[in-house]
Amino acid sequence: MRVYGDRRSGNCLKVAYTADRLGIGYDWTDVDLSKGETRTEAFLTMNPAGQVPVVVLDDGRPLAQSNAIIRYLARDSALLPADAYEQAKVDELLFWEQYSHEPYVAVCRYHMVYLGRTAAERDADKVARGEKAIDFLERALTGRTWLVGDHMSVADISLLAYTRLAPEGGFDLSARPAVTDWIARCEAELGLSPLAHAA
């Protein structure tokens, strides 16, 4: 399997976290968005949407959209519950992550990390919606170890990617103990070193 992605992107990190956790081998090809590398004819043949990540499976078939990729990789593993209802609860969070979390938390980070804006220069609406998303996670994780069931799932991996990086987008996680404890559990489970800003 070959992964085309940007190692600074949470959406791309989801794929690495999942593959590494499951011991799935892959080759990584760095894609530089700032140089228009997602707009080349070769890239658009793999993913007409012109977005990373994209994986090309061993048989040559491409697959895009981070949550679709990690769900595919996790099939028949402990990262995807066997129970149909719990699978649906995982999907519920995967869809929520892309609609109500990533567009705000990740975009604020993009503005600061990629575009060099200050926290004060962030879009106020995106900040408010990002704070609301992180508060939702705090409530969802209060009294729970994992988001769905009794083990880490792809729901945790999907939401970890940009939540873990949220301080780079100007979000303060220190008042969200359930979230910060969950991040530490996820990091331990995935063998990730804690980020300096989260220490």
Side-chain angles (χ1 to χ4, degrees), residues 106-118:
V107 170
C108 286
R109 176 180 176 263
Y110 176 84
H111 288 162
M112 293 181 68
V113 172
Y114 287 77
L115 302 183
R117 297 181 186 172
T118 67

Side-chain angles (χ1 to χ4, degrees), residues 102-166:
E102 192 267 1
Y104 310 112
V105 176
V107 170
C108 286
R109 176 180 176 263
Y110 176 84
H111 288 162
M112 293 181 68
V113 172
Y114 287 77
L115 302 183
R117 297 181 186 172
T118 67
E121 293 172 319
R122 296 173 301 163
D123 177 274
D125 180 64
K126 286 183 172 50
V127 172
R129 289 171 181 257
E131 296 285 1
K132 182 178 178 182
I134 298 169
D135 286 341
F136 174 91
L137 271 183
E138 179 69 16
R139 291 190 300 273
L141 287 161
T142 297
R144 297 187 59 83
T145 303
W146 306 108
L147 286 167
V148 178
D150 297 326
H151 302 91
M152 172 181 270
S153 72
V154 288
D156 296 289
I157 291 175
S158 176
L159 281 154
L160 172 70
Y162 277 118
T163 304
R164 182 174 183 251
L165 298 172

